[in-house]
Amino acid sequence: MDYMDRGGKLIKNKTGQDKFLNMVYSNMGGRFVMKILAAPVVSRGIGCFMDHWPSAFLIGRFIRKNHIRMSEYECRKYRSFNDFFTRRLKEGMRPVDREPSHLIAPCDAAVMAYPIDLRTKVYMKHSVYTIGSMLRNYSLAAQYMGGYCIVLRLSVDDYHRYCYVDSGAKGRNHFIPGVLHTVNPAVLDHVKIYKENARSYCVIDTKNFGKVVQMEVGAMCVGRITNYHHKAIVRRGQEKGRFEFGGSTVVLLLRRDYVAVDDDILKNSAEGIETKVKLGERIGKALFS
C-alpha cells in the first residue's frame, strides 16, 4: 500500500510483501499453511527462537533488506533478534510534542482516521470491522459514537515501542486472545483482522482529550504484546509498551467533541491513503484547550 508523508509527497511501497501475501492467501493451500503458522503454539515457538542467541544471525540481512538507519538507534550488540527488534532509539530521535492541546501519535506508523457513527464500519481493503466487535464491548463502543477511530499500522522497519498519547489515569488492561495473522493490508482481502488477532486495550482518562481507548493489536509471530503498567497515573510520551517480531497496529478511539484530527490525515483517509507519522508527532488538536 502506498502512503503520504506529512509534506504531501506520495511514497510508493518498495517491498513485495503485499504481492506475496495476496498470492499466499488467494489459494486454499496457502491459507491452510498460514493458519498453522498463526496458531498460538507455533507463534510461541517462533517467539522463543527469536528471544535466543541463534536468531541473531537474522539481524544483518533484515537491516539490509528493510533499509533500516541504524544510526538512529543505540549502538550496542544485540543478544537475539527480538532484542534487536525492540531496540531503543538514541536520545532525542523522537521528540514529543509537549503542547497540551496537541494529540500525539503513540508510535511510528501509517495512519488512517475513521469518523464513528451507528453505521460506521472500518474498512481495510475488503475487510470490515465495527467498533463493538473490535472491543467485544458494545456499551463501551457506544460511548465513542460521533468521535474518531484512528488506526496506526506499523511496518517491520518502524520503531516498535509505543507511548501514551497524553497524561492521565490509566485503567486496567483488557486482553482479548485470538489467532494471530499478519496485519499487512494485503491479508485483509481474506482475513477479518480484529476477529482473528490478539489484542489488548485500556481506557485512559486523559487531561486534554477525555477518555481515550488505546489498543494494541498483535500480528503473526507476535505472541506477546508487552504493556508495562496496570492501573496507573501516566504521562504524555511515557513508554507504554512494545511489540516483538512482526508487523503490528495501534488503535485510538476518541470521543465526540474532544479532538479535531489533523486535516491532512482526514483528507488522505477519505481518499483511502495512509499518512506516515512518527512517535510524538501531532496528529490532532483538542477542541477545548
Side-chain angles (χ1 to χ4, degrees):
M1 177 180 286
D2 300 336
Y3 55 83
M4 193 80 72
D5 69 16
R6 297 309 291 271
K9 181 180 178 182
L10 186 66
I11 307 296
K12 293 291 184 180
N13 187 343
K14 297 180 181 180
T15 74
Q17 195 173 40
D18 284 356
K19 184 176 179 181
F20 170 75
L21 288 170
N22 266 323
M23 179 182 68
V24 169
Y25 273 89
S26 64
N27 67 84
M28 186 178 296
R31 291 195 296 273
F32 177 74
V33 170
M34 294 302 285
K35 193 79 171 179
I36 293 173
L37 290 175
V41 64
V42 177
S43 180
R44 285 193 293 271
I46 295 172
C48 183
F49 170 72
M50 292 296 188
D51 275 342
H52 291 85
W53 68 265
S55 64
F57 82 93
L58 299 169
I59 295 173
R61 184 173 183 274
F62 187 89
I63 291 171
R64 293 189 297 273
K65 181 179 178 181
N66 294 287
H67 310 289
I68 296 172
R69 295 190 197 127
M70 292 306 294
S71 59
E72 295 185 358
Y73 297 91
E74 293 177 344
C75 183
R76 66 181 184 82
K77 185 175 181 179
Y78 297 103
R79 303 184 305 274
S80 67
F81 188 86
N82 262 337
D83 186 34
F84 156 75
F85 196 75
T86 58
R87 63 197 176 277
R88 289 186 180 277
L89 288 160
K90 288 179 180 176
E91 189 72 27
M93 290 306 300
R94 293 292 185 276
V96 173
D97 188 330
R98 297 294 177 184
E99 167 55 48
S101 66
H102 291 177
L103 177 70
I104 63 170
C107 56
D108 290 3
V111 61
M112 294 189 77
Y114 302 88
I116 302 169
D117 61 31
L118 290 174
R119 298 174 301 278
T120 293
K121 293 178 180 178
V122 179
Y123 291 83
M124 296 184 184
K125 286 229 173 177
H126 305 303
S127 289
V128 184
Y129 313 105
T130 69
I131 304 303
S133 64
M134 183 172 66
L135 295 170
R136 292 191 189 172
N137 185 329
Y138 290 88
S139 62
L140 178 61
Q143 297 175 33
Y144 291 85
M145 293 299 105
Y148 281 97
C149 173
I150 300 181
V151 178
L152 301 107
R153 181 181 64 84
L154 289 77
S155 299
V156 292
D157 55 330
D158 283 324
Y159 184 51
H160 271 70
R161 293 174 182 260
Y162 45 87
C163 72
Y164 292 103
V165 296
D166 196 24
S167 301
K170 175 192 174 295
R172 72 182 184 89
N173 297 319
H174 300 264
F175 181 75
I176 302 171
V179 177
L180 303 181
H181 284 274
T182 177
V183 296
N184 188 287
V187 174
L188 300 178
D189 288 329
H190 307 284
V191 179
K192 292 185 177 181
I193 185 171
Y194 293 117
K195 290 185 180 294
E196 295 287 342
N197 285 63
R199 52 211 187 269
S200 178
Y201 74 88
C202 66
V203 179
I204 308 167
D205 190 359
T206 68
K207 287 186 176 181
N208 299 289
F209 312 110
K211 291 186 177 180
V212 174
V213 171
Q214 185 164 340
M215 171 182 280
E216 295 79 39
V217 184
M220 194 183 78
C221 304
V222 183
R224 288 160 294 183
I225 299 168
T226 303
N227 283 314
Y228 304 147
H229 313 109
H230 297 287
K231 288 185 176 181
I233 301 300
V234 299
R235 305 184 312 278
R236 165 191 293 254
Q238 179 184 359
E239 190 171 299
K240 182 178 188 292
R242 66 182 187 271
F243 292 113
E244 297 188 3
F245 176 63
S248 305
T249 300
V250 175
V251 177
L252 300 176
L253 300 182
L254 309 172
R255 287 190 172 185
R256 180 179 180 178
D257 295 334
Y258 278 90
V259 180
V261 178
D262 282 352
D263 288 342
D264 62 331
I265 294 174
L266 291 179
K267 179 178 181 294
N268 291 340
S269 297
E271 296 175 2
I273 299 171
E274 296 175 308
T275 305
K276 192 68 176 176
V277 299
K278 296 292 186 183
L279 183 154
E281 181 179 1
R282 168 182 159 160
I283 58 173
K285 185 176 181 180
L287 288 172
F288 303 100
S289 57

